[in-house]
Amino acid sequence: MRFLPALVALAIAVPAAAQPLPNYDMEELRGAIAKKDLGKIAVLAAEQGGERVFIERFDGEDAGTPVDIRSAGKSITALAVGAAIADGALVDTQVTVWPYLGRPRGEPWDSITVGDLLGMSSALDCNDWDRKSPGQEERMYRTRVWRDFALNLPAREYERDAQGEGPFSYCTAGVFLLGQVVEKATGQRFDTYVQQRIFDPLGIEGVVWRTSRSGEMQSGGQLTIGAEALLKIGRLVLDKGRWDGEQLIPESWIRLMVAPRHQLGQHVHYGNLWWSTPLRSPRGYEGAVMMKGNGGNIVALVPTYDAVLVVQAENYNREDAERHAFTALTAMLGALEVPEGITAE
C-alpha cells in the first residue's frame, strides 16, 4: 500500500540521540510493563494490512474495557469536520466560525476560521501548555458552561504569515468550539453525528464522551474508547477514508487533515489535529502520523508498514508518559513483518 508521499518523506535519518529509547523486543517490552518500568500501560494493539496482529491487555481489566485517551480524541473531531464538509453542512475550512456560534465580537475574533481551530492557530488567547493562559483547559473544566468560557476568551497578539497561517498555540477550548460548530452545521449533537456518520459504519460502540456540567460534549478530547475501535479509526485514515469498500471520508480531506502545518520540533509536525513524528524501525526511521493524548495514549499510522499501532496508557500528567509510549511503539513496530518496496532512509 502507498499512502501520502509527504509522510513517507518524513522517514528521515533521525540521530539516535533524538530518541534515546530502550531497544526492547516484544518479550522484553512485556517484562518491562509487568515490572511497571513504563508506568501504567493498559493496552497494546497492532494491525498490518488490515489484519489484526495482536491486542494485549496489561492492567487486569477485561479485554474490551475502554480507556480514556484524552487529547487523542481531538483527531476524531478532525474527521467529523471532514464529514460535515463532505455532507455539505460546512462549506470548507475557510468559513468563519462565529456565524455558527452566534457571538460576533469584532476583530480579530470574527475572522477566526474552522481551519484556524483545526490547526491550533487561532487568535484566541489559549495555551494549554501554559497554566497562566486565560484559555488553559483546566480553567475551562472548572466552569459549568464551557461554551461561554470559550466564547469569552480574550485575543492574543496575533499576526498571520504570508500563507495566512497564524502562530501555533495548543488550545483544547478551540477544539471544543469546533464541536459546537459541527453541531450547529449538522443540526445534531456532536456525539450523535460522529456515531452515525463515522462510528456506526465502522461497527464501533460503547464510546463515552466527557461532558461539561451543563451537558456539552467535549469534542476537544477525553473520550473513553477501546483499542479495537482505535485500530479501525487508524485503518480508515490509512486507507484514505475508505472502509469496507465505501468512501466514508473523502480522500482529499484525509490528505489535508494529516498534512503538516506547523513544525514544533526537529522531527515533530502538527496538521489538522493530527501529529507527524517518525518512528524507529529495524531498518531506520519510518514516517508516521498520530493521534496523541495525555498519559501516553497514541494511535500511530505507519504507511510504509501499512500498519496501525495503538498504545493506551494511564500515565496521565507524567513527563515520561510519551517516552514510555514511544518505547512501546518502537518494540511493536519491530515485531511486524518488514515490508518490501519502500525503504526507510
Side-chain angles (χ1 to χ4, degrees):
M1 174 186 175
R2 300 294 176 260
F3 174 73
L4 301 182
L7 296 180
V8 176
L10 287 174
I12 53 180
V14 182
Q19 292 187 333
L21 303 174
N23 191 23
Y24 292 144
D25 61 25
M26 283 300 295
E27 195 60 35
E28 291 168 332
L29 176 63
R30 294 183 186 100
I33 293 173
K35 292 186 294 183
K36 305 297 183 184
D37 290 347
L38 303 181
K40 297 180 180 180
I41 301 290
V43 187
L44 301 179
E47 66 103 274
Q48 188 172 25
E51 299 294 329
R52 183 200 299 181
V53 179
F54 59 80
I55 294 184
E56 299 186 28
R57 193 94 200 190
F58 299 93
D59 60 357
E61 298 290 341
D62 292 339
T65 303
V67 175
D68 181 356
I69 62 170
R70 302 294 173 94
S71 285
K74 288 179 169 67
S75 300
I76 295 172
T77 297
L79 288 170
V81 171
I85 292 173
D87 294 344
L90 286 173
V91 176
D92 55 30
T93 61
Q94 298 306 308
V95 66
T96 55
V97 300
W98 301 114
Y100 293 91
L101 300 173
R103 188 74 67 85
R105 297 179 62 187
E107 295 300 337
W109 298 276
D110 291 357
S111 293
I112 295 175
T113 67
V114 167
D116 292 335
L117 298 181
L118 281 168
M120 298 287 191
S121 54
S122 81
L124 296 177
D125 192 354
C126 174
N127 181 358
D128 294 346
W129 299 346
D130 178 2
R131 290 194 173 274
K132 296 181 180 179
S133 170
Q136 206 271 344
E137 64 178 319
E138 294 301 327
R139 296 175 184 265
M140 183 174 77
Y141 298 146
R142 291 194 290 266
T143 67
R144 183 176 184 277
V145 182
W146 295 345
R147 180 186 175 95
D148 289 346
F149 173 89
L151 289 177
N152 289 318
L153 285 175
R156 57 178 171 142
E157 292 186 13
Y158 187 79
E159 184 175 352
R160 297 181 186 273
D161 63 19
Q163 288 72 45
E165 187 77 82
F168 180 88
S169 185
Y170 193 89
C171 177
T172 293
V175 187
F176 165 74
L177 287 179
L178 269 180
Q180 296 287 293
V181 171
V182 170
E183 287 194 352
K184 182 66 174 179
T186 63
Q188 293 181 279
R189 203 171 72 170
F190 181 79
D191 60 330
T192 300
Y193 180 71
V194 172
Q195 184 66 45
Q196 294 179 357
R197 187 60 172 77
I198 301 172
F199 289 169
D200 282 347
L202 298 181
I204 294 174
E205 299 178 346
V207 174
V208 179
W209 299 83
R210 180 178 177 177
T211 62
S212 70
R213 282 176 285 163
S214 62
E216 303 153 302
M217 292 296 115
Q218 174 52 311
S219 53
Q222 293 188 303
L223 78 160
T224 303
I225 189 170
E228 285 269 17
L230 294 175
L231 287 176
K232 291 178 178 180
I233 293 166
R235 175 51 56 184
L236 172 70
V237 175
L238 200 52
D239 282 354
K240 309 174 191 175
R242 293 186 66 82
W243 180 264
D244 198 22
E246 179 183 356
Q247 193 75 46
L248 291 185
I249 307 293
E251 179 179 340
S252 59
W253 177 257
I254 299 296
R255 292 184 180 277
L256 178 67
M257 182 180 73
V258 302
R261 291 176 60 179
H262 305 280
Q263 184 167 357
L264 306 183
Q266 186 177 7
H267 307 291
V268 180
H269 296 79
Y270 198 78
N272 288 326
L273 307 181
W274 283 75
W275 299 80
S276 299
T277 305
L279 282 178
R280 191 178 71 203
S281 78
R283 58 183 191 171
Y285 282 83
E286 314 288 339
V289 294
M290 301 178 181
M291 305 166 59
K292 288 172 54 177
N294 189 343
N297 288 282
I298 299 180
V299 180
L301 283 54
V302 188
T304 52
Y305 269 64
D306 192 16
V308 180
L309 309 176
V310 173
V311 177
Q312 290 185 290
E314 297 176 330
N315 292 317
Y316 302 124
N317 302 317
R318 287 181 48 163
E319 291 185 359
D320 57 3
E322 188 164 301
R323 171 184 170 82
H324 292 333
F326 271 79
T327 295
L329 289 169
T330 298
M332 293 162 68
L333 189 59
L336 298 184
E337 181 180 348
V338 178
E340 299 178 358
I342 293 179
T343 58
E345 296 182 14

